Amino acid sequence: MEYVAILLVVFVAFYLFIHQRYLKQDALKDSAYKKKGPILNQKESAFYNALLSAVGQQAVVMPKVTMSKVIAPKATDKKQWFIANNRIAKSYFDFVVCDPRNLEARVVLELDDGAPLNKGKVERQKLLMHACKSAGIPLIGATVKHSYQVGKLRRLLAAHIDLIEADKEVRFCKRCGSPMNIKTASQGDYKGRRFFTCSRQPQCNYTENYNVVFDEE
């Protein structure tokens, strides 16, 4: 009886060895792959190249970044963490502009291809807006165009990335007409963001958002 048990153990061990050594390799050999072509389509490539021109060496542009690589759930409860993580695990950001010093995500850009809204697209937009807002990452929306004004792209990004210098611009205070200065917030929710402030402070405390939106062609 003991002899039969020993033979059985040896047989099982031999089967497992063969399965691990050969059968798995054969399964991998049966799975052939091929390249799918460019990661970005023509419209996405045009916007990507415009972004590269806008940031120069002062930032790194990454396309099609999985959301879970950029953000993580805050939930402490394990069940809630998995639910929140599953929401972002299969979705992605169109473009992420990163700090070149540590590749930290600074700005997320979503490119609207002009396709009609459907349920899936609406749900994805809601997820992007909620995720970026809760994580404190600026989200900028852009529409597909035949050409992009690099100066305006640079201005949009310079409001959030201190390394990027936008083209020089002179603004005047809408309250008293004095020239305005560019300052950077040193604390609070908008720490690191740029804004225009009146040069007559503290006599005039008018401020203006540094950021601008895309103008229609």
Side-chain angles (χ1 to χ4, degrees):
M1 191 69 179
E2 294 179 358
Y3 179 73
V4 174
I6 293 173
L7 284 177
L8 182 61
V9 171
V10 171
F11 175 78
V12 171
F14 179 74
Y15 171 79
L16 292 175
F17 172 78
I18 294 297
H19 183 270
Q20 292 288 336
R21 183 69 179 274
Y22 298 104
L23 295 185
K24 280 194 172 181
Q25 292 183 4
D26 291 340
L28 288 175
K29 290 179 181 178
D30 291 338
S31 301
Y33 301 93
K34 65 178 181 179
K35 291 192 297 184
K36 294 181 64 176
I39 295 175
L40 303 178
N41 60 37
Q42 188 174 3
K43 294 178 180 179
E44 293 169 335
S45 295
F47 186 66
Y48 175 71
N49 289 326
L51 282 177
L52 291 181
S53 298
V55 304
Q57 300 297 317
Q58 283 70 50
V60 177
V61 181
M62 295 186 175
K64 305 292 185 182
V65 181
T66 304
M67 291 179 67
S68 58
K69 292 289 185 180
V70 179
I71 60 176
K74 291 182 180 179
T76 54
D77 179 82
K78 186 175 292 186
K79 181 179 179 181
Q80 291 180 345
W81 188 94
F82 277 108
I83 293 174
N85 191 65
N86 286 337
R87 289 195 179 104
I88 63 174
K90 296 181 179 180
S91 192
Y92 63 89
F93 293 124
D94 281 348
F95 298 93
V96 178
V97 181
C98 303
D99 189 319
R101 295 165 290 193
N102 54 15
L103 291 185
E104 178 185 358
R106 300 297 296 272
V107 180
V108 168
L109 293 105
E110 180 71 7
L111 185 62
D112 185 359
D113 58 5
L117 286 176
N118 54 38
K119 184 178 180 181
K121 188 174 182 179
V122 170
E123 291 300 319
R124 181 172 180 273
Q125 288 181 347
K126 288 181 179 179
L127 175 61
L128 289 174
M129 294 174 65
H130 172 73
C132 288
K133 183 178 180 179
S134 60
I137 302 177
L139 173 63
I140 298 174
T143 55
V144 169
K145 294 183 178 182
H146 296 296
S147 62
Y148 300 91
Q149 296 187 29
V150 173
K152 293 184 178 181
L153 273 174
R154 189 180 296 115
R155 173 75 58 74
L156 282 168
L157 298 172
H160 308 290
I161 303 176
D162 55 354
L163 292 178
I164 298 177
E165 289 293 338
D167 298 334
K168 296 296 183 180
E169 178 190 2
V170 178
R171 288 195 194 184
F172 295 92
C173 179
K174 293 180 180 179
R175 185 173 297 171
C176 68
S178 301
M180 301 189 74
N181 299 324
I182 298 175
K183 292 188 177 181
T184 303
S186 58
Q187 58 186 0
D189 295 337
Y190 299 99
K191 183 178 179 179
R193 306 280 182 87
R194 290 171 175 167
F195 61 97
F196 280 93
T197 181
C198 183
S199 59
R200 291 185 61 248
Q201 281 193 341
Q203 287 79 14
C204 179
N205 58 3
Y206 178 78
T207 59
E208 195 169 289
N209 190 356
Y210 183 88
N211 214 343
V212 296
V213 297
F214 287 100
D215 290 335
E216 293 297 331
E217 296 291 346

